[in-house]
Structure formats: C-alpha cells, structure tokens
Amino acid sequence: MRETRLQLDQFVMPLFVAPEGLRNDALPGMSRYSVAELEREVEELVRLGVSAVILFGIPEEKDNEGSGAWIDDGIVQQALRALRPRFPELLLLTDVCLCEYTSHGHCGVLRGEDVDNDASVELIARAAVSHVEAGADVVCPSDMMDGRVAAIREQLPETPIVAYSAKYASAFYGPFREAADSTPSFGDRRGYQMDPANVREALRECELDLAEGADVLMIKPALPYLDVIRAARDRLDVPLAAYNVSGEYAMVKDAARAGHLDERQAALESLTAIKRAGADLVFSYWTKELAGWL
C-alpha cells in the first residue's frame, strides 16, 4: 500500500460569514467574519496556498422557513459576489442547509414538531441555485433530507455536488453549532441524521446519493467514523470527502493548551489518519495552519 502524505490541495477551509464579525481566540477556526473581514481572511488563505473554502452563513434575522438561505441578498450570496471576482483561482464551495437560517434550528421546515422532508427539499434546492447564481463553484447539501441531491441535480445539471451522504447524529458538532448559532431550540436531529452504530445504512445512503447525481460523497464526522470512510472507500470507486469536525478540532486545541500534547503533531497525525482511511478531500479547521506546517 502506498504511503499517505498530506497535500494542501486535498483540504478545504470552512469559513463563517455574518453581518458582524465575532473573533474566537480559543478556536480561531470558529471565528465569524463580516464580508469585508472575510475578503481579508481569504486573501491570506490564498497567499498561503489554500485552494478551496466552504462558506457557512449566519443571517441577521431568522424565520421558520430559513429564507436567509436563498434570498438574493443573503449573507452567503453577498460573500460570494465579493469573493468571486477577487479570487478567480479559488474554489468556492457553499454549505446548503437551513439550520443556520431557521428560528428553530432544524435543518428543514417543520410540520408541527417534525421536519417536513419534501417541503424542505424544495427550499434546499432553491438555496443551492441562489448560491450558484451568486458565484459558487460547488454546492454541499448537508441537511440529510431524502431526495435533495436529485432535486438539486435537476435544477443544476452541471454544478458539482458534494453530498453529505453519511452525516451522523454526533456529539462532536458542539463548537460549530455555537459558531453558526444553529443549535435546535427543541429536540435533536436524530430523526434525519444517522445512528452512530450503523455503517450499513451509511453505505446505502452513499449509493442512493450517487444514483441521484452526487459527484463527491461526504462522511461526517471523520475521526470517530474512520471505519465508515474505509468501508465506503472499499465499496465505492468515487471521490470521498470527510469532515474533520469542530469537536475533533476543539479537543486537540484544548488538550494542547493544557499541555497534554503537541497540537501540530496531534493535528497532523489526525489528518493523516483521515487520509489513510480513504478520504480524497478533508474539510478541516486546521487547513490554514496546515498550510504553514507543510
């Protein structure tokens, strides 16, 4: 088996954009940027050699439908229009979900206290179209609604889709939900995210998304699910992505601050494990630091 080596062009840097910036010195990858601040941060990333970013939006106002996800002057749409002409060489990906935009924090619209899958899929596809019209190169539906890849593919026949195909109901999303202000106001997301004990369902979900037109399949989280990445790699000859999520990042940061381990060494070991398991792309908050380490 060939030796696994990390290369910067295999990594995607997540970025949060909001009407006002909010710095997080403890977890810098969790900082929010205004559009103007985002331009400066992306300029630095491009200078360091980062070739791809994914944008998450935090709107000024939220509503029951999450309309900030698809409106023409939404925060992600503003960011895309600012970045696209300035950084033509940069691959711009966008998170396509409603959780950051809904007042209740769930990934779709509600019927009572349950998510309405079909109504949500229509709005998710609408958000994807609005992102592409604003300048996105790739859309990344992360909601786990059934049929959303097919709905997006119907609207965007030529746009690459990174499908969050195996997104588990995980405890490791905490810092992200704080940064994105997307914690559900009631209940949890186990009704549409996956049971951590189940790998067979993950493979079925991957195959379904491929059949609907996905170009890349995402496994999320990464480190607790290295076996799922490997199972998908062994079964499917398609590009695989893995999300090195906020909780994985925060644990190492906190342990390093406490003097329990060396952050650089632990991060590189973790990222190498994700690649070794079979991921072609890694979404990681360490991408900027990795640019310096490599």
Side-chain angles (χ1 to χ4, degrees):
M1 184 177 291
R2 68 182 178 83
E3 189 176 8
T4 300
R5 291 292 180 188
L6 301 179
Q7 297 176 348
L8 191 58
D9 62 3
Q10 301 164 336
F11 286 82
V12 179
M13 179 68 190
L15 295 169
F16 299 88
V17 59
E20 296 182 3
L22 183 62
R23 185 179 176 90
N24 187 335
D25 291 323
L27 296 171
M30 303 286 105
S31 293
R32 300 180 191 174
Y33 299 97
S34 67
V35 173
E37 290 168 339
L38 183 72
E39 289 186 77
R40 292 193 291 271
E41 178 66 11
V42 168
E43 184 175 23
E44 174 70 4
L45 289 169
V46 169
R47 185 189 67 78
L48 290 170
V50 174
S51 58
V53 301
I54 180 170
L55 301 180
F56 295 87
I58 300 95
E60 190 166 9
E61 296 181 355
K62 304 188 179 199
D63 58 35
N64 288 335
E65 287 193 323
S67 62
W70 69 78
I71 56 175
D72 188 58
D73 63 345
I75 190 64
V76 166
Q77 290 81 351
Q78 292 178 43
L80 288 166
R81 292 191 180 100
L83 297 176
R84 181 73 290 158
R86 282 200 61 190
F87 306 103
E89 72 279 30
L90 183 68
L91 195 66
L92 291 174
L93 297 83
T94 60
D95 173 68
V96 181
C97 192
L98 303 182
C99 65
E100 298 106 302
Y101 305 92
T102 54
S103 52
H104 46 75
H106 281 281
C107 297
V109 294
L110 299 180
R111 182 189 299 162
E113 292 194 353
D114 297 319
V115 172
D116 186 328
N117 187 95
D118 292 348
S120 301
V121 163
E122 181 180 344
L123 299 181
I124 287 159
R126 186 174 176 183
V129 171
S130 75
H131 290 180
V132 172
E133 289 176 344
D137 298 302
V138 181
V139 292
C140 307
S142 63
D143 54 282
M144 288 295 288
M145 300 297 126
D146 294 334
R148 89 279 203 212
V149 173
I152 293 170
R153 177 55 71 218
E154 182 179 1
Q155 296 291 319
L156 298 169
E158 303 299 327
T159 300
I161 298 173
V162 175
Y164 286 57
S165 301
K167 183 178 181 180
Y168 284 88
S170 174
F172 287 88
Y173 301 146
F176 173 94
R177 290 180 179 174
E178 183 177 347
D181 190 21
S182 64
T183 303
S185 60
F186 67 90
D188 56 38
R189 295 176 180 153
R190 293 181 183 274
Y192 42 97
Q193 294 180 356
M194 293 183 53
D195 178 357
N198 199 328
V199 65
R200 293 178 183 175
E201 183 185 8
L203 297 176
R204 287 198 298 272
E205 292 287 347
C206 286
E207 290 170 339
L208 286 169
D209 282 353
L210 274 180
E212 291 182 12
D215 299 285
V216 180
L217 306 176
M218 171 81 82
I219 312 296
K220 180 181 180 181
L223 291 175
Y225 298 93
L226 294 176
D227 62 315
V228 181
I229 299 171
R230 171 48 59 186
R233 175 77 292 150
D234 289 344
R235 185 158 169 172
L236 302 166
D237 187 21
V238 297
L240 292 181
Y243 205 129
N244 176 220
V245 300
S246 60
E248 300 167 34
Y249 171 75
M251 285 193 304
V252 174
K253 286 280 188 184
D254 288 347
R257 278 196 297 271
H260 297 316
L261 49 76
D262 177 87
E263 180 189 350
R264 178 181 181 276
Q265 184 177 345
L268 290 173
E269 190 173 340
S270 298
L271 297 173
T272 299
I274 297 167
K275 288 288 300 174
R276 192 179 63 243
D280 300 295
L281 295 173
V282 181
F283 290 53
S284 177
Y285 303 97
W286 272 304
T287 299
K288 183 178 182 180
E289 289 160 289
L290 183 66
W293 295 336
L294 294 181

